[in-house]
Amino acid sequence: MLSRACLRGFGLQSLPKRQAYQLARRTVTTDAASSHAEKDDVPEEDDKPFPVKLSDESFETYNLDPPPYTMETTKKELKQMYYDMVAIRRMEMAADRLYKEKKIRGFCHLSTGQEAVAVGIEHAITRNDAVITAYRCHGFALMRGGTVKSIIGELLGRREGIAYGKGGSMHMFAPNFYGGNGIVGAQVPVGAGIAFAHQYTGSKTATVTLYGDGASNQGQVFEAFNMAKLWNLPVLFGCENNKYGMGTSAARSSALTEYYKRGQYIPGLKINAMDVLAVKAAVQYGKEYTASDKGPLVFEYVTYRYGGHSMSDPGTTYRTREEIQRMRSTNDPIAGLKQKILDWGVCTEDELKQIDKKAREDVDGEVAEAEKMPPPDPTEKILFEDIYVRGSEPAYIRGRTPDETYYY
C-alpha cells in the first residue's frame, strides 16, 4: 500500500479513495502508432524478422501475465497489414455508397475505424483456426478468404455472393469462418461449441469468438463463459469495445465497463486495438495459452467506429462530431501503421502510395464486377436449396400448405 506521504507526493491526499485510484491507475492507450522499432534493426530483406517494442500501455491484465512487449515482424508483413486495412476500409466505403444509392437494402453494419481488429487477428492465426463474430463482419469475411466481389455481391443480393445472395450484410461465411450472426450475443455459445469440437478432436487449434460491448450483458455470454471454464475450452472470447452499443455509451449500459474482467473466473486482457501489432501480439499469446490446455481467456479490444451503428444511424446524435474527428485524426489504425512504416524505413512514401493505390484499384475493380453480377432466379429450386447441407436433403420439404410441398 502507498503511504500517505507518497500520496501527498502524487497530489492525491485530498481526493476520495476511489477517485485517487482512478487517477493513479494506468489505462490502455488507443494510440495507433505507439509501437517502436530501431531503424538500424530493420533489415534490407523483406522477409527477415526484426524486433518491435510495443507500448507499455498496450495491455492491461486481469489474473494473467501480460504478453511479451517485444514481438517480431517483417517488412513484408507490415506492408501486407497496411494493404489489408486499406482494402477493408475501401470495401466498406463502397458499401456505404451503394447503400446510399439504394442498391444495398436492409441492414448494413460497417467497421470503418475497426480494421486493426480483423487484420491483427488474422495475422496471428492460421487458416485452420476458427473465427466467429457478430454482424459487423465484412472485414473478417475478407480476411478469412472471402473476396471483395463475393462480399459486395452478397450485400447486393447477387447469386455469386458469399452466401449466394441470401445472407446479406449479417450472414457471411468462409472456411473456418462461422459468420456473421444477426442475433445479439448468440454467436458466443456457438463459439464455445466450436472450441469444444476442437478440444474433442485434439486439433490444438484456436477459436476466436467475438462480440460487441452492446452484447456483453447478454445472459448467454455468461453461460458460455461458465461452460468454457468448466470444460477448459481453448477459446479466446473477445469483446470489440467500440464505446457504443447502438446509440448507448458503454458507461450508460454497463455497471462494469472493464469488459476483460467480465469473465470473473476467466483471466482477461485489455488490448489497444487501434494498433494492429498489439492485436497480433495479444492473439498470438492467447492462442499459445489455449493450446497449452490452460483454458479460455476474455479479451477486450479497445477500438472505435467512425460511422453509426448501422447505415440507418447517422452516429452523431449520441456523440459529438468533434469526438469522431479527434479519433480519426489522432488514433486512426491505418494512419498509425503508415507512420510506423515510414519512420522505420520499411519502405518509402512513394512505395507506400503504390500499395495504397493497388489496394484501392483492386477493391474498386471487384466492386464494379459485383455490381454486374445477376440476382438469383426467382425459382423454387433456388429458394429451397440451402435449407439443408447439399447432398443431405430429405425427399421433400413441406410448405405452408400441401400444394407448396417441394420435392428435392
Side-chain angles (χ1 to χ4, degrees):
M1 294 294 289
L2 289 172
S3 69
R4 291 184 180 179
C6 287
L7 286 173
R8 281 195 296 273
F10 287 119
L12 301 176
Q13 71 275 14
S14 61
L15 296 173
K17 284 184 180 179
R18 181 177 177 81
Q19 190 178 352
Y21 170 74
Q22 288 174 338
L23 287 175
R25 67 190 291 274
R26 181 176 60 80
T27 57
V28 164
T29 182
T30 51
D31 184 351
S34 59
S35 304
H36 175 72
E38 295 294 339
K39 201 168 182 178
D40 292 342
D41 291 337
V42 180
E44 291 291 328
E45 300 88 344
D46 256 18
D47 54 359
K48 186 175 180 180
F50 64 91
V52 173
K53 177 74 170 65
L54 300 175
S55 165
D56 291 341
E57 296 179 340
S58 294
F59 310 118
E60 221 173 276
T61 63
Y62 170 69
N63 292 341
L64 181 72
D65 291 329
Y69 284 87
T70 300
M71 62 175 294
E72 286 195 336
T73 187
T74 64
K75 293 165 69 172
K76 181 180 179 181
E77 180 179 50
L78 290 172
K79 288 186 278 190
Q80 185 63 50
M81 283 177 163
Y82 183 78
Y83 176 95
D84 290 341
M85 288 200 288
V86 171
I88 291 173
R89 182 163 299 180
R90 189 70 172 181
M91 180 179 71
E92 296 288 57
M93 289 170 63
D96 181 285
R97 172 182 63 81
L98 292 167
Y99 193 94
K100 289 172 179 173
E101 292 174 358
K102 298 186 177 180
K103 293 179 180 177
I104 294 173
R105 301 283 187 161
F107 295 104
C108 187
H109 304 84
L110 306 181
S111 61
T112 310
Q114 299 182 207
E115 296 87 355
V117 180
V119 174
I121 288 172
E122 190 60 38
H123 280 261
I125 61 177
T126 70
R127 290 292 195 209
N128 293 324
D129 296 311
V131 176
I132 186 169
T133 188
Y135 40 73
R136 204 177 304 280
C137 64
H138 309 160
F140 291 100
L142 185 64
M143 287 296 94
R144 289 269 81 191
T147 63
V148 172
K149 178 181 175 181
S150 69
I151 292 165
I152 295 295
E154 186 60 36
L155 294 172
L156 294 166
R158 302 301 163 85
R159 177 65 169 162
E160 295 174 63
I162 201 168
Y164 309 111
K166 298 177 180 178
S169 175
M170 300 194 288
H171 305 98
M172 297 185 177
F173 307 91
N176 283 317
F177 178 56
Y178 295 84
N181 294 270
I183 299 174
V184 175
Q187 73 279 4
V188 180
V190 177
I194 296 166
F196 176 73
H198 288 167
Q199 183 190 66
Y200 190 79
T201 57
S203 65
K204 293 295 181 185
T205 47
T207 303
V208 179
T209 301
L210 296 149
Y211 56 98
D213 52 288
S216 64
N217 298 312
Q218 287 279 324
Q220 57 195 330
V221 172
F222 293 95
E223 290 179 19
F225 286 175
N226 183 58
M227 294 173 75
K229 185 62 176 178
L230 276 173
W231 297 340
N232 222 39
L233 299 181
V235 56
L236 297 176
F237 295 111
C239 175
E240 281 188 271
N241 179 10
N242 61 20
K243 310 295 186 185
Y244 299 94
M246 297 186 71
T248 305
S249 69
R252 291 183 61 215
S253 67
S254 300
L256 177 64
T257 58
E258 293 175 309
Y259 297 104
Y260 68 111
K261 296 181 179 179
R262 286 291 193 93
Q264 188 179 353
Y265 34 74
I266 301 175
L269 182 67
K270 189 175 186 178
I271 305 153
N272 171 16
M274 301 305 270
D275 182 350
V276 67
L277 294 175
V279 175
K280 181 193 172 186
V283 176
Q284 275 184 329
Y285 175 77
K287 180 179 175 179
E288 292 169 6
Y289 182 97
T290 58
S292 302
D293 299 323
K294 294 179 181 178
L297 291 173
V298 175
F299 282 2
E300 177 185 346
Y301 301 93
V302 182
T303 185
Y304 194 82
R305 59 170 163 81
Y306 298 153
H309 171 72
S310 69
M311 286 300 299
S312 60
D313 168 25
T316 54
T317 56
Y318 48 86
R319 56 182 180 174
T320 64
R321 294 182 187 276
E322 290 74 21
E323 176 187 312
I324 301 167
Q325 186 54 40
R326 184 178 70 253
M327 291 299 292
R328 274 186 178 273
S329 60
T330 62
N331 298 83
D332 185 74
I334 297 175
L337 182 58
K338 178 179 180 179
Q339 181 183 327
K340 286 180 279 201
I341 286 174
L342 295 175
D343 289 349
W344 301 345
V346 171
C347 64
T348 66
E349 190 161 4
D350 286 341
E351 289 171 330
L352 202 58
K353 284 179 180 177
Q354 288 303 310
I355 296 171
D356 203 301
K357 182 181 178 183
K358 184 177 188 312
R360 292 168 185 268
E361 288 177 347
D362 289 349
V363 170
D364 291 351
E366 291 197 50
V367 169
E369 288 180 31
E371 289 190 74
K372 295 175 184 176
M373 293 193 298
D377 293 327
T379 63
E380 283 190 333
K381 180 179 184 300
I382 288 176
L383 178 65
F384 286 99
E385 71 183 353
D386 293 309
I387 295 174
Y388 290 89
V389 173
R390 294 182 186 184
S392 69
E393 301 91 346
Y396 64 90
I397 189 164
R398 292 180 298 171
R400 295 167 299 173
T401 59
D403 60 294
E404 288 185 344
T405 298
Y406 177 75
Y407 293 88
Y408 285 99

